[in-house]
Amino acid sequence: MDLRKDFPRSMRFKLAGYAHLARMIDKCRAALAGTEGEYIYPCPIDERLMEFAGITSDQFTIAVKVNSTDEGVVKWLEQTAKTHEPAELEEWNRKLLARGPSSPESAARFKKYLAAIDPSRTDITAWSDLQDLEEGRIVPRREPASQST
């Protein structure tokens, strides 16, 4: 995986039921190869997934290093991670994919990135959508939330 030339998979791509897992594997593989470019592993989103799964970045990095396939990493994860009911995992995925900036500094970065990519996309409020837009994936336009009076 050379992230100087290609994009990692979308956060929305699910592997073993987890949103972001495939992207995290891609970034970890690139970091191990020294080809991560501007991508960061582990980033705060990676840390959220690992916390939810009950694993550390050191454990995950070793698992990716010794398992050359997604299937191997998934098998390791299934043996190592905390068990979650399907509904709990889906709720966690939903929240992760809807997550937007969590601080004024994060909001300023988000706004700066969005302005550089497509300032007309005022409907983009989640990091997952911003990443997909930046990486050339189609992000459907959403209607603005209606204001209560």
Side-chain angles (χ1 to χ4, degrees):
M1 175 68 35
D2 188 342
L3 298 182
R4 299 168 301 180
K5 298 177 184 175
D6 298 308
F7 298 120
R9 287 171 278 186
S10 171
M11 280 180 71
R12 294 184 180 289
F13 184 91
K14 289 183 186 172
L15 190 59
Y18 289 87
H20 189 68
L21 177 60
R23 184 179 184 88
M24 189 167 74
I25 290 171
D26 292 347
K27 293 190 318 164
C28 183
R29 284 195 176 120
L32 288 167
T35 58
E36 68 272 26
E38 295 183 13
Y39 288 88
I40 298 167
Y41 168 80
C43 73
I45 296 171
D46 300 337
E47 295 289 355
R48 288 185 200 297
L49 189 154
M50 288 186 264
E51 181 182 343
F52 179 71
I55 59 172
T56 67
S57 59
D58 288 341
Q59 289 174 307
F60 186 78
T61 301
I62 291 167
V64 170
K65 193 174 196 175
V66 301
N67 291 285
S68 61
T69 64
D70 287 349
E71 293 78 16
V73 176
V74 165
K75 184 176 179 181
W76 170 84
L77 187 69
E78 288 171 345
Q79 294 170 347
T80 309
K82 290 180 194 172
T83 302
H84 297 283
E85 293 297 322
E88 181 185 12
L89 178 56
E90 278 309 307
E91 178 65 9
W92 184 86
N93 286 335
R94 187 192 64 72
K95 286 181 180 177
L96 179 73
L97 294 173
R99 186 174 180 82
S102 58
S103 69
E105 297 80 18
S106 177
R109 269 194 321 278
F110 188 96
K111 186 176 179 180
K112 178 183 165 188
Y113 295 151
L114 184 57
I117 298 162
D118 185 347
S120 74
R121 292 301 304 266
T122 56
D123 61 312
I124 301 284
T125 59
W127 287 108
S128 60
D129 288 339
L130 183 61
Q131 285 177 349
D132 279 348
L133 188 67
E134 180 180 25
E135 294 172 357
R137 295 182 190 95
I138 295 172
V139 179
R141 290 196 179 264
R142 292 172 177 76
E143 294 295 320
S146 59
Q147 299 288 330
S148 305
T149 55

